[in-house]
Amino acid sequence: MELERGLNGRWIHRWTFVLAAAGSAVGLGNIWKFPYVAGENGGGVFVLVYLVCIALVGVPIMLAEAMLGRRGRMSPINTMTYLARESNVSSGWALIGWSGIVAGMLILSFYSVVAGWALHYLLLSLNSAFSQIDAPTAGELFGALLANPGQLIVWHTLFLFITLGIVCAGVVKGLGVAVRTMMPMLLVLLLALFLYSATVGNLTQATHFLFDFNPQDFTWGSVLIALGHAFFTLSLGMGAIMAYGAYLPENTPSLGKMVAAIAVLDTAVAILAGLVIFPIVFANPSIEPGAGPGLLFISLPLAFGSMPLGSFFAAVFFFLILIAALSSSISMIEPTVAWLVERKAWSRIKITAFLGAVIWLLGLGTVFSFNIWQELTLWGRNFFDTLDFITANLMLPLGGLCIAVFVGWIMNKAFIEEEIGDIRHGIYHGWMIVLRYVSPLLLLVVFVMTLVDKLGS
């Protein structure tokens, strides 16, 4: 089959790509997951390892993935098929695209359920439900939500419906408009919440917690989680960056600078989220910073409930989480939509609706993980935790490893230089060395350690 390139639209401006990719990266991984994962793994030491993973693995592979997308100008599957042919190598490299879209669909299935929690809590905060709330009541409130599959399904459905509506509108009118609106809004809300948190919370203790280096807290488990989270939060290995790179205008300059800007923005938001959440947490001695996934949904309502203007800022906070979740969720389904659009079987609306139904059904597994299926476990994990582990710790790093190997060792170097030739000579060679040796080695070590850790348990 002859592949036609460039069928799916273009970003109006190259900085729309930055906002779109940053929106994909900046999501629940930064605001929901990063703070509690940092809390569970000792704070500062985890942040340091996470930053190293971003620099040595995340940024080089993100640049490679964006470059592949711009070169192929198609969905991830067809891009990898085309680029493999162009470099005269096996079309089996298209598995990178297949793995990415499967990972994205799996992640969105549970991501939508968690984002639904934020919708529920936004409504509660608008009704001042957290005013003067106590710890037992906050726990009971969250527990009651998880124990009610009907309610979870309603919020899961509503969030997914909003996501699908944006994707149905297409690249320019849907994705482009959404990211140009949501990303600035997210940053403004986050900065406002930071000022509030710094004023009413314990910023000093939060800063020490996030940035003090405690060697005794360093474990291999922290490295595994930090690398998996770096991939999760940067949306690497799931085809999103490749799909968004395909929408870049012809001869867009400074791809390296744009990728660096995305990584810096993503990391800054993750750290800023920690500086929003932990001052509030430390202002309440009864709240543990390592409270796990319930940190946002048990601890923060308790904290907001006892603070000045707490109901208002609780609503702002959960609206922020909703915006962040939407900016990421649209990127998880777009690679699959783009591939099916290229096949010209159905219209974009029908394709999006069909995929939404599949994701909705998969999401029921996560919904039931907290109630009627909570006794069903695999490797000691429920359905939700199993999907999270498989995607973040296995599929995304493995996809990133394959991207690094393909670009570093397989792809014709003349084609690479055509796409990112504006990068300085020394930086280009440094990037290739990291992509060939450092990133794959780190990924292999951590990937093997993840399997050993899992098999050992």
Side-chain angles (χ1 to χ4, degrees), residues 72-198:
R73 299 202 172 280
M74 291 178 282
S75 65
I77 294 173
N78 286 339
T79 281
M80 292 309 304
T81 301
Y82 171 80
L83 295 180
R85 289 181 186 173
E86 189 179 50
S87 294
N88 295 315
V89 296
S90 169
S91 60
W93 286 100
L95 287 173
I96 293 175
W98 281 103
S99 173
I101 67 170
V102 170
M105 297 273 285
L106 291 177
I107 291 171
L108 183 54
S109 74
F110 67 78
Y111 198 92
S112 177
V113 176
V114 175
W117 303 351
L119 270 172
H120 177 70
Y121 270 69
L122 173 59
L123 180 62
L124 290 177
S125 58
L126 289 172
N127 290 327
S128 301
F130 307 140
S131 180
Q132 302 304 316
I133 194 173
D134 57 24
T137 305
E140 289 168 6
L141 198 64
F142 187 56
L145 173 64
L146 297 187
N148 189 332
Q151 199 169 29
L152 290 176
I153 290 171
V154 168
W155 295 116
H156 164 52
T157 304
L158 180 57
F159 178 83
L160 195 56
F161 182 79
I162 298 171
T163 298
L164 298 177
I166 295 171
V167 175
C168 277
V171 176
V172 176
K173 294 182 180 179
L175 304 180
V177 172
V179 298
R180 288 198 305 273
T181 303
M182 289 190 293
M183 281 307 297
M185 186 186 302
L186 186 149
L187 293 173
V188 169
L189 291 174
L190 196 58
L191 287 171
L193 282 166
F194 170 71
L195 293 175
Y196 172 77
S197 181

